[in-house]
Amino acid sequence: MRLDKWLWCARFFKTRSLAADAIRTGKVRIDNERSKPAKMISPGDVLNIRRNAFKYEITILELPRARLPASKAALLFSESDASVRDRELLETQMKSGSGAILRSHGRPTKRDRRDLMKFKKTGHADEE
């Protein structure tokens, strides 16, 4: 079975084209080596998949004939214990530190700009 098709069947990616793009950009590796979307895989191959900040290290157990429901697709592979532990640790770190990250919502509004100018002049934003 093709690598991109297996990733789609195992529900790592929503479409085969997204899976193929991830493979081409190096986010999916077979035995720590880059490959092509048409690479033929077999049970026992180890895949390293990077999705956003999360990394998965999985071993292929089965090759399905068609795309399966999510509950059955989870049985197509096994994830290493270290991978699960690292991903859970990263998830807890992201949840606990999410308040400390400053998020910009684009360009400041007119009100934001006025408050900023007022703050720079006086050192306090609440004065009128």
Side-chain angles (χ1 to χ4, degrees):
M1 177 178 262
R2 290 171 54 114
L3 176 58
D4 61 343
K5 188 172 182 179
W6 187 87
L7 289 168
W8 171 71
C9 288
R11 300 203 174 241
F12 277 98
F13 295 95
K14 199 170 188 174
T15 64
R16 276 183 67 183
S17 62
L18 288 175
D21 289 342
I23 296 165
R24 276 190 218 101
T25 57
K27 293 179 178 138
V28 178
R29 295 175 174 259
I30 299 177
D31 298 323
N32 285 324
E33 293 181 11
R34 287 182 78 154
S35 65
K36 294 184 178 180
K39 171 86 172 159
M40 298 306 279
I41 58 169
S42 59
D45 287 342
V46 177
L47 301 180
N48 295 315
I49 304 169
R50 209 177 57 216
R51 290 180 58 200
N52 300 327
F54 299 105
K55 295 178 184 175
Y56 301 85
E57 184 179 322
I58 62 167
T59 303
I60 298 173
L61 300 177
E62 279 185 61
L63 302 177
R65 292 180 185 214
R67 193 164 197 223
L68 301 171
S71 59
K72 292 182 181 179
L75 303 174
L76 297 176
F77 60 90
S78 67
E79 189 173 0
S80 70
D81 294 335
S83 175
V84 172
R85 195 172 40 252
D86 291 344
R87 203 164 28 84
E88 288 174 350
L89 178 66
L90 181 61
E91 190 173 333
T92 56
Q93 288 175 348
M94 288 174 74
K95 283 182 182 177
S96 66
S98 63
I101 299 173
L102 296 175
R103 298 181 193 266
S104 174
H105 296 287
R107 194 171 167 173
T109 63
K110 196 174 199 178
R111 182 178 181 182
D112 293 337
R113 188 171 33 82
R114 286 181 179 156
D115 289 342
L116 184 60
M117 290 171 65
K118 200 181 295 182
F119 180 77
K120 283 183 178 180
K121 283 182 184 176
T122 62
H124 303 288
D126 295 336
E127 293 180 5
E128 295 216 18

